[in-house]
């Protein structure tokens, strides 16, 4: 590990010597992803939720969950909706637009009708700012019953900056992978945990962009 860190430091120093002042400026790249996963099972919701929360606890800087009560289980599962909390015509929205910030970066997922909602963040200074929402929607009809797990991720990966920032990102990437790889692993481990707790075989209904870590679920 020590040799690896020394190599990363050397690479960062060499890169700094070859990088112009313009290239050293802080830059960020944002991307969003979502997935809808079907878990066909008659297992009680608490079993799946407990398993999911245990899996997520190892991935979040901050994790907040709620378990709303569903008065009646619908025949068709619900689905998350995206909202802009700033509002298109609000003063804050206008200020963000003037600052060159896309409204897409503020989008949040709402989960009306879900029996479980998890909001988590992962923050690594100079490397990644991730916000994710997971919702669990129950359903039951004459053919099947189970749950749909919905995921929405808003992720900002940072690049550029000074030597210490680039070195920190290199170390973080070596330890936990890129931000996208981290997100894929988080979702995959959560799905595995829910499968193990319920006996369900998860199926990826849809997702965007393509999630390589879930290709095995199609």
């Amino acid at each position: 590990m020590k040799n690896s860190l020394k190599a990363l430091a050397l690479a960062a120093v060499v890169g700094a010597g070859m990088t112009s002042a313009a290239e050293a400026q802080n830059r960020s790249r944002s991307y969003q992803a979502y997935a809808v996963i079907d878990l066909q099972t008659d297992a009680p919701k608490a079993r799946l939720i407990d398993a999911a929360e245990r899996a997520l606890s190892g991935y979040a800087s901050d994790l907040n969950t709620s378990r709303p009560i569903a008065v009646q289980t619908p025949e068709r599962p619900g689905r998350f909706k995206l909202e802009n909390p700033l509002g298109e015509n609000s003063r804050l929205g206008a200020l963000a637009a003037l600052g060159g910030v896309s409204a897409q970066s503020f989008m949040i997922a709402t989960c009306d009708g879900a029996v479980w909602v998890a909001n988590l963040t992962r923050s690594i200074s100079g490397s990644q700012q991730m916000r994710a929402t997971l919702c669990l929607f129950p359903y039951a009809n004459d053919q099947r019953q189970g749950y749909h797990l919905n995921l929405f991720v808003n992720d900002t990966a940072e690049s550029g900056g000074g030597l210490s920032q680039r070195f920190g990102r290199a170390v973080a990437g070596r330890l936990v992978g890129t931000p996208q790889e981290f997100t894929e692993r988080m979702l995959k481990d959560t799905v595995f945990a829910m499968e193990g707790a319920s006996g369900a075989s998860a199926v990826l209904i849809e997702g965007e962009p393509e999630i390589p870590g879930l290709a095995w679920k199609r």
Side-chain angles (χ1 to χ4, degrees):
M1 177 62 74
K2 289 184 179 180
N3 290 334
S4 297
L5 293 180
K6 288 180 180 178
L8 288 171
L10 178 61
V13 171
V14 172
M18 299 176 63
T19 303
S20 67
E23 291 173 329
Q25 293 178 347
N26 287 323
R27 296 182 296 275
S28 63
R29 177 182 60 83
S30 297
Y31 83 95
Q32 295 178 336
Y34 84 95
V36 177
I37 296 169
D38 182 44
L39 291 151
Q40 187 175 341
T41 178
D42 59 0
K45 61 184 179 182
R47 191 179 300 170
L48 285 84
I49 294 171
D50 289 344
E53 291 183 355
R54 285 193 296 270
L56 289 172
S57 64
Y59 285 93
S61 303
D62 186 38
L63 174 64
N64 295 292
T65 65
S66 62
R67 303 187 184 194
I69 296 175
V71 177
Q72 185 175 2
T73 301
E75 293 186 0
R76 296 173 59 86
R79 185 184 178 90
F80 75 92
K81 295 181 180 179
L82 294 181
E83 295 182 359
N84 181 0
L86 298 184
E88 295 181 0
N89 300 317
S90 70
R91 182 175 299 178
L92 289 175
L95 289 173
L98 287 174
V101 180
S102 170
Q104 290 294 318
S105 62
F106 293 103
M107 299 299 284
I108 61 173
T110 59
C111 308
D112 293 340
V115 295
W116 175 67
V117 181
N119 289 293
L120 62 100
T121 59
R122 180 189 186 235
S123 179
I124 299 179
S125 179
S127 178
Q128 181 190 26
Q129 300 292 327
M130 181 195 75
R131 292 183 289 110
T133 298
L134 294 90
C135 324
L136 191 65
F137 294 99
Y139 69 89
N141 53 54
D142 294 338
Q143 286 76 40
R144 58 174 59 187
Q145 69 181 82
Y147 306 87
H148 270 194
L149 176 66
N150 289 196
L151 166 79
F152 174 70
V153 174
N154 201 330
D155 207 341
T156 300
E158 299 179 10
S159 61
L163 175 62
S164 61
Q165 289 175 299
R166 295 198 298 276
F167 177 65
R169 280 193 296 271
V171 173
R174 190 66 175 264
L175 295 175
V176 301
T178 66
Q180 187 170 352
E181 289 171 341
F182 180 91
T183 301
E184 292 168 1
R185 190 164 63 251
M186 176 190 72
L187 180 57
K188 188 174 181 179
D189 285 354
T190 302
V191 172
F192 269 140
M194 298 176 82
E195 284 182 318
S198 66
S201 180
V203 176
L204 178 64
I205 302 299
E206 59 179 284
E208 187 179 333
E210 181 71 23
I211 304 175
L214 289 177
W216 48 275
K217 282 296 174 192
R218 287 202 181 279

